[in-house]
Short mmCIF file of all heavy atoms in Angstrom, two decimals:
data_model
loop_
_atom_site.label_atom_id
_atom_site.label_comp_id
_atom_site.label_asym_id
_atom_site.label_seq_id
_atom_site.Cartn_x
_atom_site.Cartn_y
_atom_site.Cartn_z
N SER A 21 -86.20 -53.34 -127.08
CA SER A 21 -85.82 -52.07 -127.53
C SER A 21 -84.67 -51.50 -126.76
O SER A 21 -84.51 -51.72 -125.62
CB SER A 21 -87.04 -51.08 -127.44
OG SER A 21 -88.08 -51.57 -128.26
N ARG A 95 -54.06 -74.21 -112.82
CA ARG A 95 -52.89 -73.48 -112.23
C ARG A 95 -52.02 -74.43 -111.40
O ARG A 95 -50.79 -74.24 -111.29
CB ARG A 95 -53.46 -72.43 -111.22
CG ARG A 95 -54.19 -71.30 -112.02
CD ARG A 95 -54.80 -70.25 -111.16
NE ARG A 95 -53.71 -69.32 -110.58
CZ ARG A 95 -54.12 -68.26 -109.89
NH1 ARG A 95 -55.39 -67.96 -109.71
NH2 ARG A 95 -53.12 -67.53 -109.43
N PRO A 128 -65.74 -53.99 -126.06
CA PRO A 128 -66.05 -54.86 -127.28
C PRO A 128 -65.43 -54.37 -128.56
O PRO A 128 -65.40 -53.26 -128.93
CB PRO A 128 -67.64 -54.73 -127.37
CG PRO A 128 -67.99 -54.21 -126.07
CD PRO A 128 -66.92 -53.34 -125.45
N ILE A 156 -72.84 -53.78 -104.92
CA ILE A 156 -73.04 -54.56 -106.22
C ILE A 156 -74.22 -53.73 -106.93
O ILE A 156 -75.33 -53.59 -106.37
CB ILE A 156 -73.41 -55.95 -106.03
CG1 ILE A 156 -72.30 -56.71 -105.43
CG2 ILE A 156 -73.86 -56.54 -107.43
CD1 ILE A 156 -72.60 -58.21 -105.11
N GLN A 180 -46.96 -59.72 -113.28
CA GLN A 180 -46.51 -59.51 -114.69
C GLN A 180 -47.35 -60.46 -115.71
O GLN A 180 -47.59 -60.05 -116.82
CB GLN A 180 -45.07 -59.91 -114.81
CG GLN A 180 -44.18 -59.07 -113.98
CD GLN A 180 -42.72 -59.52 -114.05
OE1 GLN A 180 -42.00 -59.42 -115.03
NE2 GLN A 180 -42.19 -60.01 -112.93
N ALA A 193 -72.37 -54.97 -122.05
CA ALA A 193 -73.36 -54.20 -121.29
C ALA A 193 -73.18 -54.59 -119.77
O ALA A 193 -72.59 -55.53 -119.34
CB ALA A 193 -74.71 -54.59 -121.72
N LEU A 234 -66.95 -62.87 -102.33
CA LEU A 234 -65.73 -62.28 -103.02
C LEU A 234 -65.76 -60.77 -102.83
O LEU A 234 -64.64 -60.22 -102.47
CB LEU A 234 -65.88 -62.67 -104.44
CG LEU A 234 -65.62 -64.14 -104.73
CD1 LEU A 234 -65.79 -64.38 -106.23
CD2 LEU A 234 -64.26 -64.68 -104.37
#
Side-chain angles (χ1 to χ4, degrees):
S21 300
R95 293 176 75 176
I156 298 174
Q180 297 174 73
L234 295 174

